[in-house]
Amino acid sequence: MTILEQYLDCMKRGDNVGLADLFNDYGVLHDSSLIKVTGDAMHLEGKMAVEMMFHHKFGFNGGPFKIYSEKYQGEDQVWYFIQYGNQILPVAAFLAGTDENGKIQRLNIYPL
């Protein structure tokens, strides 16, 4: 399973610990798709920040995020639909880099 497949699997299962383990200690998750929902982008730096944020996100969301129709564009891009409350957004995730251990250094998510 590729790192992006693992990322979406953790999002679908609501596994904040597994999700955070995909990032290296200084890994960055930048999600500007949230601008369409909340008006603010989410920028997390570090494995611990990812774990803590998604612990809260999965709790406030009532569990895992619903993700539909993934379309992989090689190993470093995936397009999919994600449900935030009553809104379903098309997004693209771009893996900008991994370290020597295969952990995410930076993942960018953009609205389509």
Side-chain angles (χ1 to χ4, degrees), residues 20 23-29 44-52:
F23 290 81
N24 73 13
D25 289 341
Y26 305 101
V28 172
L29 172 59
L44 304 172
E45 294 188 23
K47 180 178 181 172
M48 184 180 286
V50 172
E51 183 175 344
M52 289 172 45

Side-chain angles (χ1 to χ4, degrees), residues 36-38 82-89:
K36 298 274 189 174
V37 179
T38 66
I82 187 165
Q83 186 168 346
Y84 294 115
N86 293 326
Q87 262 187 297
I88 298 174
L89 295 178

